[in-house]
Amino acid sequence: MENIFYEEYKTLLQKIEEYKTIIIAKHVMPDWDAQGSAEGLKRIIEDNFKNKNVYIVGSKIEDKPYKFKLSDEQIKKSILLTVDVANQSRIDFDKKMNVKEIFKIDHHKFESHDFGDNFLVDPTAIACTQVITIFAMTMNLKISKEAAKFLYKGLLTDSGRFLFKNTNAQTFEAAKVLVSTGIDVAEIANEIYLTDLNLKKWLFKMSEKIVFNEKKYYAYLCVKKSDYYGIIDIEAAKSALGIMSGINEISTWFLAYEKEDGIVKISFRSRNKDVSLIAKKYGGGGHTLAAACEVGTWDNFENELNNILKGI
Ligand SMILES: [Mn+2]
């Protein structure tokens, strides 16, 4: 099949062939695209190649981190595949610089790569799992039902259930390949999207703190540590961003939330503005319509708020 990434696909296959030990790293604080990419790719490698030792490193969405034992000697001889990571500092693996080489597989926008020896990066893909699925499909690799389940989770979440703007024909092509393995899409959606009553009640309470400016089409919400600590975990607290989406009069919105270390992180979403520009100003980044950055303390946030509002 014709594909503009055919050379990259071939190189990736060659590299997988070449190495016995393959390490897969995601971005810090993984979402389902990061984790689904790692888990899906691990299974694709194991199901299509013999005698490979594939390790996923770093933290997991479900609290416990991945367990693995790798000696420095093994790490030195291994290839690191990074999935869903744009910048070196975001790679969730402290020995990332000790590997023999790095292959970056991603879908974030980039001006230049600050790490990696080889690349398979398609910024038009809605999810990194889309990049991996189309790669596997094009190269006729077997995708098991288990691999498909993980890959589909990334596709579903990064595309906002196939509603976001960059959802394209290839997204559905990938979905078709994955669904063809027999996965249960309703069950997967329930696994990801059903909310506990405790969290739902908390979100209702938070929704009263949203600042709306319908004349300027924006909304934002500040969540302090004291708002969630002891009630829900930080991952659940981040879902407060979603309560501002889907409002006709609000086309750009953001959640400013205090992480457990006291640093304020801002997650931007928009239907029509390039919010990655404002995120970049504060050392962050991301996609055109979904980006994030950190601004320091609440005092820093207050000082920058006007500039942020002007920028969105
Ligand atoms: Mn992603």
Side-chain angles (χ1 to χ4, degrees), residues 31 33 84 107-108 127-128 158 287:
D31 55 12
D33 190 32
D84 203 32
H107 73 123
H108 290 87
C128 187
D158 262 28
H287 308 278

